[in-house]
Amino acid sequence: MTDRTGERLIADNRKARHDYHLLDTFEAGIVLLGTEVKAIREGRVNLRDSYGRVENGEVFLHNVHISSYSHRGYADHEPLRRRKLLLNKGEIRKLIGKTVERGCTLVPVRMYFRSGRVKVAVSIAKGKKTHDKRETIRRREIDRETRAMVKGRGR
């Protein structure tokens, strides 16, 4: 599925939208091996429970699960290895400043193709409290009921 910006969604981290308040989002390239790119083209990616970390002035993604490519030969990759994100120095400085704040973390929100290259949208996020999660669910249910009522009146 391609949208008007030429992006094709690979994976979406819906759990992140439920568990965190997303504050600021950055687009980053990612360093991958050949078999990883082929597995990604097959849609074998899971962003759930993944997070980013700044280490020695570089940003890495941890726990992104990229399964093995189906037609691999002798070449293979480790599914849960840490992967380097490609950001410019100004963006990395912003990330360092924000993640030092209490309770902020880096969360990959979605992975997509843009112009044939794999990109990752990484957000600075603050964890939601349990009552915030309940409020989000309550609001979603009210919206769903409202849409059903409006749809029912049209007939």
Side-chain angles (χ1 to χ4, degrees):
M1 178 171 81
T2 306
D3 66 358
R4 65 182 181 282
T5 60
E7 294 178 2
R8 193 181 69 150
L9 186 65
I10 300 166
D12 195 18
N13 191 355
R14 290 179 292 184
K15 185 176 184 232
R17 286 188 182 85
H18 184 265
D19 291 347
Y20 298 99
H21 292 289
L22 303 179
L23 305 175
D24 200 7
T25 304
F26 297 89
E27 179 182 73
I30 184 168
V31 177
L32 298 169
L33 301 173
T35 55
E36 290 176 327
V37 175
K38 290 180 178 187
I40 287 171
R41 289 195 185 279
E42 289 182 341
R44 297 172 167 264
V45 183
N46 188 355
L47 295 177
R48 181 174 233 134
D49 299 329
S50 57
Y51 60 95
R53 183 175 283 161
V54 181
E55 300 168 6
N56 299 327
E58 296 179 332
V59 184
F60 292 94
L61 274 185
H62 295 268
N63 282 354
V64 175
H65 190 278
I66 301 176
S67 299
S68 297
Y69 177 54
S70 62
H71 300 297
R72 69 187 184 280
Y74 62 90
D76 202 6
H77 62 271
E78 185 182 330
L80 285 175
R81 75 179 184 92
R82 74 178 192 162
R83 294 167 178 92
K84 183 177 177 179
L85 291 181
L86 304 172
L87 294 158
N88 63 42
K89 285 184 182 181
E91 291 172 330
I92 293 173
R93 263 190 248 113
K94 283 182 188 175
L95 291 177
I96 291 171
K98 297 279 186 168
T99 55
V100 169
E101 276 183 35
R102 195 179 135 257
C104 284
T105 186
L106 275 175
V107 179
V109 179
R110 60 195 187 100
M111 187 180 280
Y112 53 93
F113 282 111
R114 174 177 278 166
S115 303
R117 304 208 188 276
V118 178
K119 301 288 182 179
V120 180
V122 180
S123 287
I124 297 170
K126 200 165 211 146
K128 284 186 181 178
K129 304 284 188 245
T130 306
H131 64 273
D132 291 336
K133 291 179 188 178
R134 276 186 252 143
E135 179 62 33
T136 304
I137 293 169
R138 190 177 303 119
R139 197 173 307 123
R140 191 181 314 133
E141 287 175 0
I142 290 170
D143 290 344
R144 187 179 306 130
E145 290 170 4
T146 306
R147 280 195 307 271
M149 293 294 285
V150 170
K151 188 176 180 182
R153 285 186 186 168
R155 293 181 184 185

